[in-house]
Amino acid sequence: MSQGKVIIVTGGTGLVGKAIETIVTEENRKGETWIFLSSKDGDLCDYKATENIFKKYKPTHVIHLAAMVGGLFHNLSHNLDFLRNNLRINNNVLQISFETGVKKVVSCLSTCIFPGKASYPLDETMLHNGSPHPSNFGYSYAKRLIDVANHAYNEQHGCMFTSVIPCNTFGPHDNFNLESSHVIPGLMRKLHDIIEKGDDKFCVWGSGTPIRQFIYSLDLAKLILWVLRNYEEIEPILLCVDDEAQVTIKQVAEALAKSFNFKGDIVFDTSKTDGQHKMTSNNAKLRSYLPDFQFTPFDVAIKETVEWFKANYKTARL
Ligand code: NAP
Ligand code: GDP
């Protein structure tokens, strides 16, 4: 990018926002001013508050991460909130970006919003080819409409609004709250607490057989920065690890137990749902642009995240 860019990151205090902050701080590029927003800067569900943020910072570029985000169990019980909050946030951010002449917006979708029934592996062309999984239809439809809006803003006004589709993401600064978290931070929190208490049973929800692709938040951050600077399509792009890197939830639990040096039993609570069995996605489009991108190996990323969590337990989002 050329000189004088002002980039705001909505959701800049979350898992992905903090990872982007880490990478841009390391890069220390000239000619880019970065602003990492939290909900304390203004509630993006509120049009006026969102407008005030844009008036204050006058961004030329936006990485739009802010969203109501949560794991399977939080989605199951809050589909309406996920739908309404995310519709409002996305509508405000995209419309005000248009009104204030933002040059490029990169928004975040997710592999969990693909059709619940599909042929695998999933790719970018399949996003709207059927209903999302019933467990998270509120979040999914709100997110899918970002892609619809991006095309409409481009057709009607020529805007360069695009989106990325990350697979399941984890890393430092995740949400470790047991009720709302995704599986990796949820299981890390459980392990930490049972080790503190001296318990010897590590309870994993569901059967352990679902399959997921996990990306380390710092790898995702690098890829989102590449999209901001280099990707010129309105169509979304999957930002996910290679197919062969997929793991079962049982393997995730075992990797975490190893990292925590937990020697007790891993038990599966099959009274809890598994959610989607898989969301296996194909990163061929990403690989056509970046054939040599090196993803951090899963075990290394898990180890670094566990170390971060232990060192930051007192201030982490619990
Ligand atoms: P996160 O850790 O839960 O962070 C959410 C961020 O959004 C926080 O900075 C939060 O601000 C902000 N936010 C939420 N509601 C807001 C509101 N009403 N007004 C202003 N800010 C608000 O989420 P994440 O995991 O980093 O996710 C970032 C993006 O990636 C999301 O769009 C998500 O859908 C997508 N994604 C995530 C995953 C994953 O596995 N985590 C996978 C695929 C895609 P506060 O800190 O002030 O609360
Ligand atoms: P998903 O990938 O969108 O389904 O969301 P999650 O990350 O919440 O869940 C992934 C899988 O992990 C599901 O099959 C859950 O049943 C399973 N799981 C096992 N233990 C836990 C846990 O403690 N928290 C969460 N959120 N999921 C768990």
Side-chain angles (χ1 to χ4, degrees):
M1 292 195 305
S2 59
Q3 297 290 299
K5 304 291 183 274
V6 177
I7 305 132
I8 62 170
V9 181
T10 72
T13 47
L15 165 69
V16 183
K18 280 285 184 192
I20 293 178
E21 189 177 26
T22 301
I23 302 295
V24 297
T25 304
E26 278 169 20
E27 288 181 338
N28 192 23
R29 285 200 183 199
K30 300 259 178 304
E32 291 181 1
T33 303
W34 287 86
I35 292 130
F36 292 88
L37 299 172
S38 80
S39 58
K40 293 197 185 83
D41 294 289
D43 179 359
L44 297 173
C45 289
D46 182 285
Y47 190 88
K48 205 75 208 150
T50 311
E51 202 175 42
N52 287 340
I53 290 172
F54 278 68
K55 273 190 193 148
K56 179 174 176 187
Y57 294 111
K58 299 181 179 52
T60 58
H61 294 69
V62 174
I63 296 180
H64 173 38
L65 307 174
M68 181 173 176
V69 180
L72 167 63
F73 298 92
H74 196 43
N75 273 273
L76 269 171
S77 56
H78 292 83
N79 265 299
L80 179 63
D81 295 345
F82 276 94
L83 178 72
R84 294 186 70 234
N85 289 334
N86 289 327
L87 282 175
R88 285 150 76 197
I89 292 174
N90 299 336
N91 182 55
N92 291 340
V93 169
L94 293 182
Q95 176 61 16
I96 295 166
S97 292
F98 159 61
E99 286 171 1
T100 59
V102 168
K103 292 194 173 89
K104 185 167 183 177
V105 180
V106 179
S107 300
C108 231
L109 315 184
S110 168
T111 51
C112 67
I113 73 168
F114 273 104
K117 289 184 186 140
S119 58
Y120 297 93
L122 299 157
D123 69 42
E124 293 85 350
T125 66
M126 296 156 78
L127 192 61
H128 303 284
N129 286 358
S131 308
H133 192 268
S135 58
N136 67 348
F137 65 92
Y139 175 83
S140 298
Y141 277 120
K143 285 284 184 185
R144 286 184 188 188
L145 284 176
I146 291 180
D147 176 53
V148 174
N150 285 349
H151 281 89
Y153 277 108
N154 181 256
E155 277 184 31
Q156 206 168 318
H157 299 296
C159 298
M160 181 56 225
F161 294 175
T162 190
S163 61
V164 298
I165 313 178
C167 57
N168 291 46
T169 309
F170 71 99
H173 303 280
D174 210 335
N175 169 20
F176 297 90
N177 180 285
L178 283 176
E179 282 171 22
S180 59
S181 67
H182 288 99
V183 59
I184 290 182
L187 292 182
M188 282 175 55
R189 170 78 188 279
K190 280 184 200 169
L191 265 172
H192 179 278
D193 293 357
I194 59 177
I195 290 167
E196 289 276 291
K197 280 195 229 142
D199 289 350
D200 60 0
K201 272 199 175 50
F202 172 30
C203 181
V204 178
W205 291 339
S207 65
T209 60
I211 297 163
R212 297 289 183 270
Q213 286 158 294
F214 289 97
I215 187 168
Y216 192 32
S217 58
L218 293 154
D219 292 348
L220 178 59
K222 290 176 192 162
L223 292 173
I224 292 176
L225 290 168
W226 171 81
V227 168
L228 180 77
R229 293 165 180 152
N230 301 290
Y231 181 73
E232 297 301 333
E233 298 181 37
I234 305 299
E235 288 295 322
I237 181 164
L238 271 157
L239 302 182
C240 76
V241 296
D242 303 315
D243 305 18
E244 61 266 22
Q246 60 186 6
V247 287
T248 62
I249 298 302
K250 181 169 186 262
Q251 287 171 316
V252 170
E254 286 166 353
L256 287 170
K258 191 172 164 205
S259 275
F260 274 91
N261 200 24
F262 173 76
K263 305 282 186 211
D265 294 332
I266 302 178
V267 294
F268 294 91
D269 179 355
T270 51
S271 71
K272 299 270 192 186
T273 183
D274 277 342
Q276 305 191 52
H277 180 62
K278 60 180 179 180
M279 322 169 179
T280 311
S281 304
N282 184 308
N283 68 4
K285 184 173 183 177
L286 175 66
R287 283 294 186 203
S288 74
Y289 282 105
L290 296 175
D292 300 324
F293 185 84
Q294 298 280 325
F295 290 96
T296 307
F298 182 67
D299 285 349
V300 174
I302 285 286
K303 194 164 177 289
E304 285 182 13
T305 307
V306 168
E307 276 163 17
W308 181 90
F309 182 58
K310 284 181 179 167
N312 293 277
Y313 186 82
K314 285 200 175 117
T315 52
R317 278 190 284 164
L318 303 174

